[in-house]
């Protein structure tokens, strides 16, 4: 239940009024998505790798193959930056300079730890599935010991970091508001499309409720 | 017109059949989006920062405030990782283990250079606007010298890196295909919503053609 630690390296300096450090905002940004980008360093080279994530309490988790370069690189205990970005709109202003985006983002810095306990990994992977599709995990066969072993889970506290939120109409220079240029927001919408069944779906298998569109 | 340099640090090792190194694939992934995440290091800490980008020929560009931490951090000549990710679908498999995502991603590593020439910056920012909204730049007032000075543009060759493409139906273990579990793809769709005019829009300003939905 702690807010984000606002350190010299994470507090928002430029457009600082967009900075948010309360845990409720951090959670809301996390719970609105499932794709993050993680920055980490291997042999001096920075990498930004996309991966899926989930939240439990005030920790974030991501997973992958135990053999992946990213997860092997993170095992060493080095710091990573975990970033989630939701773009809500593009901003068309009256001057090129004030074109911008409306977004909610969260950046966390920390040292991820690997989840070692196999039973705990089993439970957590189920949580991840159910978070996306409530109730689905109970319908799946349990993971085998080999599958659990091949899956690495990294976790990191929601601790040091900052959220940044940009919202509202274009902010133009006062003397530009009289220009006859269309200005406003172009909303960016991310949604799920109609499910596409596997060609080898067992005949008679019904589409689960959690995949039905809300009509 | 060179393909991507497949170095030890960028070639795709795991699921290597998903790796693509041809320039046409790299361009297509870049031209399908406008949001990237850039990893860079300041004082030993890695950061992953979201920003918008555009492509000209076989270089990628991004911009920001000349005062931004990210761009100041990149001026030093250090390496960055530029990553673009399009998630096309979530994959619901018959076992938790084979749940996955379908995506197109591109990762480039390089040392960005700052564009210094003001006339060139002016031209490039217009290109960026027109890339999103063809023809819009000609309707905007020109940037002022102060605005150009306050805007930093970084560019980097499309050179060392890798694209990664995952597509197709779920890939389950052969013995799982008989399970009565729904399996398939849940498409992820990113689209633009209806434009929202600025409350201070000059009366009589028509919605430009490039913002009309294709109906």
């Amino acid at each position: 239940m702690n807010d984000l630690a606002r350190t010299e390296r994470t507090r928002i300096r430029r457009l600082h009024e967009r900075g948010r450090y309360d845990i409720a905002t951090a959670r809301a940004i996390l719970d609105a998505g499932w794709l993050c980008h993680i920055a980490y360093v291997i042999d001096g080279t920075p990498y930004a790798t996309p991966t899926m994530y989930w939240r439990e309490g005030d920790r974030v988790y991501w997973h992958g193959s135990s053999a992946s370069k990213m997860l092997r690189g993170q095992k060493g205990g080095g710091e990573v930056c975990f970033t989630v970005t939701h773009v809500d709109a593009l901003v068309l202003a009256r001057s090129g300079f004030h074109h911008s985006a409306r977004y909610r983002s969260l950046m966390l810095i920390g040292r991820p730890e690997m989840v070692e306990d196999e039973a705990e990994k089993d439970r957590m992977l189920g949580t991840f599935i159910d978070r996306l599709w409530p109730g689905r995990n109970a319908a799946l066969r349990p993971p085998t010991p080999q599958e659990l072993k091949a899956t690495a889970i990294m976790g990191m506290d929601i601790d040091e970091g900052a959220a940044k939120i940009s919202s509202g109409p274009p902010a133009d220079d006062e003397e530009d508001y009289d220009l006859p240029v269309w200005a406003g927001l172009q909303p960016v919408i991310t949604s799920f499309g109609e499910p596409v069944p596997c060609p080898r779906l067992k005949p008679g298998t019904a589409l689960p409720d959690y995949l039905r569109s809300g009509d």
Side-chain angles (χ1 to χ4, degrees), chain A:
Chain A
M1 289 291 291
N2 290 318
D3 288 342
L4 298 176
R6 190 183 325 201
T7 59
E8 271 310 295
R9 62 183 181 175
T10 59
R11 77 180 165 82
I12 306 292
R13 265 163 262 242
R14 221 179 54 79
L15 302 175
H16 62 89
E17 67 282 5
R18 295 183 177 175
R20 300 278 188 286
Y21 304 90
D22 60 292
I23 190 71
T25 295
R27 288 177 184 161
I29 291 172
L30 289 167
D31 294 352
W34 35 262
L35 178 71
C36 65
H37 284 75
I38 300 183
Y40 54 99
V41 177
I42 299 180
D43 295 337
T45 302
Y47 294 87
T49 296
T51 195
M52 292 180 72
Y53 71 88
W54 69 101
R55 175 178 78 84
E56 283 193 37
D58 289 332
R59 263 174 98 78
V60 289
Y61 295 92
W62 59 97
H63 80 315
S65 162
S66 300
S68 88
K69 179 175 178 170
M70 172 176 81
L71 296 184
R72 284 185 293 120
Q74 292 168 359
K75 260 198 267 194
E79 285 187 318
V80 309
C81 177
F82 169 103
T83 299
V84 172
T85 308
H86 309 300
V87 178
D88 295 316
L90 302 185
V91 179
L92 294 92
R94 292 157 183 90
S95 64
F97 188 70
H98 286 293
H99 280 65
S100 178
R102 296 301 177 229
Y103 57 85
R104 291 158 292 143
S105 69
L106 176 70
M107 187 180 281
L108 300 172
I109 292 175
R111 295 181 193 276
E113 292 164 337
M114 190 166 278
V115 179
E116 303 282 359
D117 184 78
E118 303 290 298
E120 180 69 353
K121 283 164 69 174
D122 186 1
R123 186 196 63 74
M124 296 186 89
L125 294 169
T127 300
F128 178 33
I129 297 256
D130 279 343
R131 189 238 158 161
L132 290 165
W133 306 287
R136 180 168 178 82
N137 193 52
L140 300 173
R141 67 161 174 77
T144 67
Q146 295 89 324
E147 287 174 340
L148 286 175
K149 206 173 164 194
T151 305
I153 300 180
M154 307 299 297
M156 191 171 96
D157 279 338
I158 302 173
D159 176 15
E160 182 183 355
K164 206 169 165 188
I165 296 182
S166 163
S167 59
D172 273 295
D173 292 343
E174 197 51 46
E175 61 268 30
D176 286 343
Y177 279 96
D178 201 41
L179 294 172
V181 175
W182 195 91
L185 303 181
Q186 184 169 37
V188 177
I189 299 167
T190 302
S191 57
F192 288 122
E194 281 300 299
V196 180
C198 177
R200 293 181 64 182
L201 190 66
K202 194 177 164 73
T205 307
L207 189 71
D209 284 341
Y210 50 74
L211 288 175
R212 285 179 209 284
S213 52
D215 54 12

